[in-house]
Structures are given as structure tokens and as C-alpha cells.
Amino acid sequence: MILSDETMSKFSFRGDSFPLRCDLLVLEKIQDKVGDIQIAEYEIKGFKPRIDADGVMDTSTGRWTIPNISLVIQSLIWMMEEAKSITNGQYQIPTVTDLKQQDDYTISELSLIVYKEFSSCIAGKKKKKNQPKRSKKKTDTEIASTSA
């Protein structure tokens, strides 16, 4: 499947612009790396939920910390790789080392970029699933041809 990158978010790095795509393939890689997609979300954001004495996670309380650098960088690369794959892109994706050695973005800024894609992927899947199907609106040309 080859898609256009026009509607994809872009990541600017060293003068180049890279499209980003988070889909189920990327979510699966993130899940495989972390083990639980909800915990991955917290690690990307840098939130440590409180765990009570019974081992139950309390997401209403916790503390903010530095996002998981390895997960953020690897997720960003997976999103660039997925976009390259489905757009048949002919460009070189930055390496893990390139992204860790750069000084254009803080880890918080990279985390926000990844989190926006991650959360829109999850929310987008829910949104599409819950929306009723709409009938396609006819164009002016189609209306004119049927009424003539």
C-alpha cells in the first residue's frame, strides 16, 4: 500500500522533514518493547503512577519524571520507518545515535511529538470505530448530471 504523506505529521531534523505514522504495526512494536500499551503511554509522557500495597496501579496519583528516553527515541524511529514504508519514501531515516546526540530538541519536546502521534493513533481507531457511516455527498457535477 502506498499512501501520500501530505496528511501526516512531520518531524523536522537537521534541515529535513520526515513524515510520521503511528498505526497498529507501530503500537505492536511499542507493546512488545514495554509489555503493556498503557504503561508505554506513561513512560512516553514521563508519568509514574502510584502502585498501592496490593500492586494495583492508581493513575489518579503519581509523579512526573523524565520520559523513557530509549522508548521515545525508538518509537520516533518506528513512526518514521512506517511512514517511509507506506509512502515508498526514498530517504535516510536518522539513527538512534543521531537522535540522542542532537541538541535541537529536549527529551520533553521529543516525548510530546511521539505522544501526540501515539495518542491520536489510539483515539483515531476509537473515533473511526464509533462513528456512523455517512453517505457520500454528491458534487455539483454529479447533481447536475442526474437532474438533466
Side-chain angles (χ1 to χ4, degrees):
M1 163 173 66
I2 298 177
L3 300 175
S4 169
D5 67 358
E6 289 178 13
T7 60
M8 294 180 195
S9 298
K10 305 291 190 291
F11 172 66
S12 296
F13 183 71
R14 295 186 178 161
D16 292 319
S17 181
F18 300 94
L20 299 175
R21 174 161 170 107
C22 185
D23 57 18
L24 292 178
L25 294 171
V26 174
L27 289 179
E28 181 179 42
K29 289 176 184 179
I30 293 170
Q31 186 176 37
D32 288 346
K33 182 171 177 71
V34 176
D36 183 297
I37 206 73
Q38 186 175 21
I39 291 172
E41 177 182 10
Y42 297 136
E43 288 189 15
I44 289 168
K45 292 191 317 187
F47 180 70
K48 299 275 186 196
R50 184 180 147 299
I51 308 293
D52 68 16
D54 296 326
V56 177
M57 186 184 317
D58 179 4
T59 59
S60 64
T61 61
R63 63 183 174 86
W64 291 97
T65 185
I66 296 171
N68 181 324
I69 296 168
S70 175
L71 179 61
V72 169
I73 298 293
Q74 188 60 61
S75 298
L76 184 59
I77 288 174
W78 286 330
M79 290 174 189
M80 287 188 282
E81 287 173 345
E82 184 62 14
K84 180 179 177 180
S85 171
I86 65 164
T87 61
N88 201 21
Q90 302 297 315
Y91 49 86
Q92 186 70 29
I93 292 173
T95 65
V96 169
T97 303
D98 291 337
L99 292 171
K100 287 183 178 178
Q101 290 177 335
Q102 60 80 33
D103 58 3
D104 295 335
Y105 296 95
T106 65
I107 186 58
S108 295
E109 291 167 333
L110 290 173
S111 169
L112 185 59
I113 291 166
V114 169
Y115 181 71
K116 282 182 180 178
E117 289 303 308
F118 175 90
S119 63
S120 70
C121 179
I122 291 173
K125 303 293 185 254
K126 290 179 184 174
K127 185 178 179 183
K128 288 177 186 172
K129 182 179 175 183
N130 294 334
Q131 283 183 344
K133 293 189 178 192
R134 295 184 216 165
S135 60
K136 182 181 170 188
K137 289 186 177 181
K138 292 186 177 184
T139 63
D140 292 337
T141 308
E142 291 172 324
I143 294 170
S145 67
T146 58
S147 63

